[in-house]
Amino acid sequence: MSIKESAFPLSFDALTIEQPGAPVSLQRRTVASLNEDEALVRVAYASVNKMDPGMAQRNVFNLPVPYVLGFDFSGEVAALGSEGGFTVGDQVFGSSGTGGRFFQ
């Protein structure tokens, strides 16, 4: 099932860090829309690796707070901006330099 433009804003719960060293908390996040060069991926799997605890303790990439952990993922393209090299329904995997893959 694809997400249509009318389905935005799209809300979900994410595991966030309010500030480096703080406990992980569950926080409601919202995606209001997609930029033309973005894709929304329905994440099926997100890895936990040694980078995640380090990022929870120290924000080495200077992500804006609060930030969401989870850098490696696989899943299905659910929506696309106006540019695309993908099609809704494509199975994809990758990594994000900005985290944001630990959500439900």
Side-chain angles (χ1 to χ4, degrees):
M1 172 171 133
S2 67
I3 297 170
K4 299 189 179 352
E5 192 65 32
S6 62
F8 290 101
L10 179 67
S11 295
F12 56 93
D13 293 324
L15 295 176
T16 61
I17 305 291
E18 293 291 328
Q19 63 184 21
V24 175
S25 63
L26 193 62
Q27 189 179 84
R28 195 80 176 154
R29 304 296 288 257
T30 300
V31 175
S33 63
L34 293 177
N35 292 327
E36 61 186 30
D37 62 343
E38 291 181 320
L40 181 67
V41 175
R42 182 179 294 109
V43 174
Y45 300 98
S47 71
V48 176
N49 58 47
K50 66 182 183 178
M51 177 187 288
D52 294 304
M55 283 296 295
Q57 292 300 312
R58 297 179 305 134
N59 187 357
V60 297
F61 296 128
N62 296 316
L63 301 175
V65 291
Y67 55 95
V68 179
L69 298 176
F71 294 85
D72 306 314
F73 67 93
S74 67
E76 178 181 329
V77 174
L80 293 166
S82 59
E83 296 178 10
F86 296 104
T87 302
V88 170
D90 283 352
Q91 298 295 310
V92 295
F93 68 93
S95 141
S96 167
T98 59
R101 306 302 165 243
F102 291 166
F103 61 89
Q104 61 180 14

